[in-house]
């Protein structure tokens, strides 16, 4: 490994870890939203609060990049990682939002499998962020996220086939398809974060 | 503020102002398209012309960046701003295009509120572009655009809920949803322009 | 033309040519998928293999950029071109995938015109890639791709109008619209590749 002439400003790593913690909260709220008998309005309100907290952390990161002369890794990579993490939150928030907005009463049970993928991705991401500082043991993280994204893609395709199986009214298909696609977009957003981490790790190694 | 060693090439600012003026024209045509009794074919033809003019200005900007040795601000920021402004036009053109293509007869009255947001965004953007040269008084512009984007988001969600209220046939929901999403994308595109301006202003300050 | 101080590493050009060859294969498979009486499962399996091969070439390109000190043209342009070519493959794969997944029995005949546009784009792109090395005779390529993209856009709009003509059940419209939009996205992806080539050619000239 090459010598690193970058300063150790641990605030950046703490903020990335904080962003990822918001994603753990968001994924748990998604699971709650899908649970039978949950108070959907209450879950949605807490999701909005979580999304707001995530925004605050993102802005704190951006402000720190703009006011720091030498950053721990390339400025544009910090932006990319911060906005990548923020995108995950936005996609998860969108899922909750659409369920409420479209007044969907019956959600296909198989959606839970996709939410489990999201919860696992969130945990792995939260685990990986503190390891950015030493740039160590990150490979297992992005390999596992890529594996989960493949599993998520299979769930997604199975769910789409189910939606078009003739069991649902067309208007319900239209609603559920949007929700299912937002779930898939959230999984993809986790993969994008993992790709950014890989790019950073390769550059810095 | 740091000393600026950049040359003053006012042609860039004039071209940005010109791009924003095309957006004012486009937003007005959108309002006309929605007005009762309007000649939709005629409005669509004028929208195509406006979109073509906007393309010309974008190309003039790109050519100027490519042939200028020292640009008034970072080359990639000029590209980003030029293509950001161009994206707004494309989204507004898409709305008009879909209304004609889908032969939508009855547009929900609430779409007008979103078009008003777009008209206000276009005016604010056109006002702000000439202020790029001195990099002054831009903060109020991007704050107001962000406020409008929030209002636009509320309009969008209210309209989606209305589309799925049971009042429309499913095939109409399918058509109107595309139109409504293009309107929302146009508002988002204005916000993206404001974010690019903010990034430029922060760098240059 | 300015003197070029870049080394001649022909491996890059060979890999780009290889990527474009995968697209020729992919476009031919799309045509087969649409042909009457084709074995859709078999075509889809071969498409998956082609997409996998394309991925391998893309990764080989990325690895080569990461391990090469001086690249034949800007590192970020190589990334952009490699991922642009990869995106075309993904969009064509998506079309085949959706046809199978949605179990669409009757595809509108006019889709073939769009697939012809894609086949022509793939051939032109495969022809152009080897000319990257000398950076010569590329202008006719991107002009022709832009012309094809315009033709593709007209096809796309005509097909959408047809889908909403009342001939199809709404659930079929929903399925076919996704397929038609993926075809359009593949054409757009070819145009994006041509734009990247234009940017590179202008910089290097």
């Amino acid at each position: 490994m090459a010598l690193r002439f970058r300063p150790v400003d641990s605030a950046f790593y703490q903020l990335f870890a904080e962003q990822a913690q918001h994603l753990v909260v968001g994924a748990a709220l998604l699971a709650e939203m899908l649970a039978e008998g949950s108070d959907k309005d209450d879950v949605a309100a807490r999701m909005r609060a979580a999304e707001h907290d995530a925004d605050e952390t993102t802005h704190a990161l951006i402000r720190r990049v703009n006011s720091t002369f030498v950053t721990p890794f390339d400025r544009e990579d910090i932006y990319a990682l911060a906005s990548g993490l923020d995108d995950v939150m936005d996609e998860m928030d969108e899922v909750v939002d659409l369920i409420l907005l479209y007044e969907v009463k019956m959600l296909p049970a198989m959606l839970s499998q996709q939410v489990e993928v999201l919860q696992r991705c969130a945990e792995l991401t939260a685990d990986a962020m503190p390891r950015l500082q030493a740039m160590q043991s990150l490979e297992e993280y992005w390999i596992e996220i890529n594996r989960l994204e493949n599993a998520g893609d299979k769930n997604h395709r199975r769910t789409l086939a189910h939606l078009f199986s003739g069991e649902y009214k067309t208007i319900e298909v239209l609603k559920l398809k949007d929700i299912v696609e937002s779930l898939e977009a959230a999984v993809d957003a986790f993969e994008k974060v993992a790709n950014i981490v890989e790019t950073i790790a390769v550059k810095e190694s």
Side-chain angles (χ1 to χ4, degrees), chain A:
Chain A
M1 188 194 283
L3 272 170
R4 293 179 61 219
F5 297 103
R6 307 273 195 165
V8 179
D9 179 347
S10 58
F12 281 105
Y13 306 104
Q14 278 164 25
L15 286 165
F16 282 128
E18 203 178 299
Q19 270 198 314
Q21 281 305 331
H22 294 309
L23 301 183
V24 173
V25 172
L29 285 167
L30 255 182
E32 224 183 300
M33 193 76 179
L34 260 62
E36 233 175 302
S38 65
D39 179 344
K40 292 195 167 27
D41 288 295
D42 178 62
V43 178
R46 282 185 283 143
M47 188 61 145
R48 255 193 309 280
E51 197 269 334
H52 183 78
D53 292 347
D55 267 356
E56 295 283 304
T57 309
T58 307
H59 287 140
L61 255 162
I62 303 290
R63 270 196 308 273
R64 192 158 198 103
V65 181
N66 288 337
S67 63
T68 302
F69 192 61
V70 185
T71 51
F73 43 90
D74 283 352
R75 209 167 285 271
E76 71 258 29
D77 291 328
I78 296 180
Y79 280 120
L81 184 52
S83 76
L85 289 161
D86 200 53
D87 288 347
V88 179
M89 197 68 191
D90 286 347
E91 294 297 347
M92 296 200 297
D93 182 43
E94 172 91 357
V95 176
V96 166
D97 198 39
L98 289 175
I99 293 173
L100 210 69
L101 192 64
Y102 289 174
E103 301 189 10
V104 178
K105 300 286 176 252
M106 272 264 298
L107 288 160
M110 52 178 34
L111 294 196
S112 306
Q113 288 167 37
Q114 198 71 315
V115 173
E116 275 164 31
V117 168
L118 286 171
Q119 287 190 278
R120 191 75 195 107
C121 284
E123 281 159 24
L124 284 168
T125 307
D127 274 2
M129 288 302 115
R131 297 204 299 274
L132 272 177
Q133 187 153 356
M135 286 290 166
Q136 273 164 358
S137 318
L138 287 164
E139 195 169 347
E140 56 200 81
Y141 148 70
W142 70 65
I143 289 174
E144 181 62 10
I145 292 283
N146 276 288
R147 204 194 56 72
L148 284 164
E149 194 277 330
N150 278 331
D153 193 52
K154 288 209 180 70
N155 285 340
H156 179 60
R157 295 165 40 78
R158 208 165 39 230
T159 309
L160 279 181
H162 173 67
L163 288 187
F164 284 101
S165 65
E167 195 177 316
Y168 295 90
K169 284 169 70 174
T170 306
I171 189 85
E172 287 305 305
V173 177
L174 196 50
K175 289 176 183 181
L176 290 170
K177 193 164 167 283
D178 267 8
I179 292 166
V180 161
E181 284 171 352
S182 293
L183 279 172
E184 159 85 345
V187 181
D188 286 349
F190 269 119
E191 193 191 24
K192 215 172 149 188
V193 167
N195 290 343
I196 295 165
V197 169
E198 184 175 0
T199 306
I200 295 169
V202 168
K203 268 198 210 173
E204 300 291 315
S205 71

